[in-house]
């Protein structure tokens, strides 16, 4: 499994996000997020991306866009202004095409990680380990019950559930030190599409460790 080490001193801010669902024009998505139309939702996501500083670091946990074809999603990730580490989601249109377009010659039928898929975006695969100073994270899209180094203080950042899996929301610890970092939870927590890394550390520090597995 890929492991990457970062330091807060090298970035203005470190942000974590999942499930932009850029371009997803379905009311079951944008109404719970507080928007009256798919366009209003996408415009807000655009503004959130534009708010990132080139000296930030973004951890993007999948499901970037949906339902608008590959080209607009590729354009969207090309507009991310800061270094970005990304994992696969379960809706990968556009991101997959960007990945395929950037595979080295001779590796067209292989998986290669890490791989730069846009100017500032690196695909890390299905999951990866992230150490930021002394804080250690397992980064993936869907919430696992058991994950790498869980018994040694590593915590899990994920998405996918759109705040519907209540046990991994900021105010619950039923499944241990796991946090759904999706837009729904971030917007309810701080009004943006992102969690700041120190918000995440504080939330997870208050959660009790899981008793589901002892290894």
């Amino acid at each position: 499994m890929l492991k990457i080490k970062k330091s807060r001193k090298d970035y203005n801010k470190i942000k974590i996000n999942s499930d932009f669902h850029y371009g997803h024009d379905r009311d079951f998505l944008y109404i719970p997020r507080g928007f009256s139309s798919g366009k209003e939702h996408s415009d807000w996501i655009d503004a959130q991306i534009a708010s990132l500083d080139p000296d930030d670091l973004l951890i993007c946990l999948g499901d970037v866009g949906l339902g608008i074809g590959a080209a607009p999603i590729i354009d969207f990730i090309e507009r991310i202004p800061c270094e970005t580490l990304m994992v696969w989601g379960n809706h990968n249109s556009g991101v997959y095409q960007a990945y395929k377009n950037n595979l080295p010659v001779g590796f067209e039928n292989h998986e290669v990680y890490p791989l730069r898929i846009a100017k500032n975006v690196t695909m890390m695969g299905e999951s990866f380990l992230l150490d930021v100073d002394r804080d250690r994270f397992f980064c993936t899209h869907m919430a696992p019950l058991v994950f790498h180094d869980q018994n040694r203080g590593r915590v899990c950042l994920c998405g996918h559930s759109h705040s519907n899996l209540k046990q991994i929301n900021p105010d619950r610890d039923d499944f241990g030190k796991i946090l759904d970092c999706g837009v729904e939870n971030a917007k309810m927590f701080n009004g943006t599409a992102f969690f700041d890394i120190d918000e995440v550390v504080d939330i997870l520090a208050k959660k009790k460790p899981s008793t589901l597995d002892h290894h």
Side-chain angles (χ1 to χ4, degrees):
M1 184 180 300
L2 294 175
K3 181 176 182 179
I4 189 165
K5 295 183 178 182
K6 297 289 185 179
S7 175
R8 286 168 172 81
K9 67 180 177 57
D10 295 328
Y11 299 96
N12 179 30
K13 293 181 180 178
I14 299 176
K15 307 270 191 167
I16 299 100
N17 158 275
S18 186
D19 299 276
F20 282 125
H21 277 245
Y22 183 71
H24 194 182
D25 191 16
R26 295 296 181 92
D27 58 6
F28 63 76
L29 177 88
Y30 61 73
I31 288 177
R33 292 184 174 186
F35 302 99
S36 60
S37 69
K39 182 181 186 304
E40 185 181 13
H41 171 257
S42 289
D43 288 346
W44 182 78
I45 295 292
D46 277 328
Q48 293 295 298
I49 286 295
S51 75
L52 294 167
D53 187 276
D55 292 328
D56 291 343
L57 171 65
L58 174 62
I59 310 301
C60 182
L61 302 174
D63 281 14
V64 173
L66 185 64
I68 53 174
I73 296 172
I74 291 173
D75 174 71
F76 176 80
I77 63 173
E78 288 283 358
R79 289 189 279 112
I80 298 175
C82 61
E83 181 183 355
T84 301
L85 303 176
M86 184 178 291
V87 299
W88 294 116
N90 61 301
H91 298 296
N92 295 311
S93 175
V95 176
Y96 181 72
Q97 281 75 10
Y99 178 81
K100 293 286 285 185
N101 292 344
N102 286 281
L103 282 169
V105 174
F107 287 83
E108 292 82 1
N109 296 316
H110 298 73
E111 292 191 42
V112 178
Y113 306 111
L115 184 71
R116 184 74 76 173
I117 64 170
K119 180 177 64 174
N120 293 318
V121 181
T122 300
M123 175 54 70
M124 303 295 290
E126 295 289 340
S127 59
F128 70 101
L129 305 179
L130 172 67
D131 291 358
V132 181
D133 302 323
R134 299 183 67 178
D135 297 306
R136 301 186 302 148
F137 307 96
F138 176 79
C139 301
T140 193
H141 181 63
M142 296 184 184
L145 289 178
V146 180
F147 52 89
H148 188 84
D149 280 345
Q150 181 177 7
N151 63 322
R152 295 184 177 91
R154 192 173 294 277
V155 297
C156 180
L157 308 179
C158 62
H160 178 68
S161 297
H162 297 264
S163 82
N164 292 313
L165 183 58
K166 306 299 184 184
Q167 295 91 336
I168 61 172
N169 285 349
D171 60 342
R172 295 276 293 272
D173 62 5
D174 309 52
F175 294 162
K177 292 180 177 287
I178 305 177
L179 179 62
D180 176 355
C181 299
V183 168
E184 287 81 3
N185 277 337
K187 193 169 185 286
M188 286 188 288
F189 192 82
N190 61 30
T192 77
F194 317 101
F195 284 96
D196 180 88
I197 191 169
D198 292 320
E199 293 174 336
V200 163
V201 168
D202 183 61
I203 290 167
L204 288 163
K206 296 173 182 175
K207 294 191 177 211
K208 296 177 182 177
S210 172
T211 59
L212 295 171
D213 187 81
H214 67 278
H215 294 88

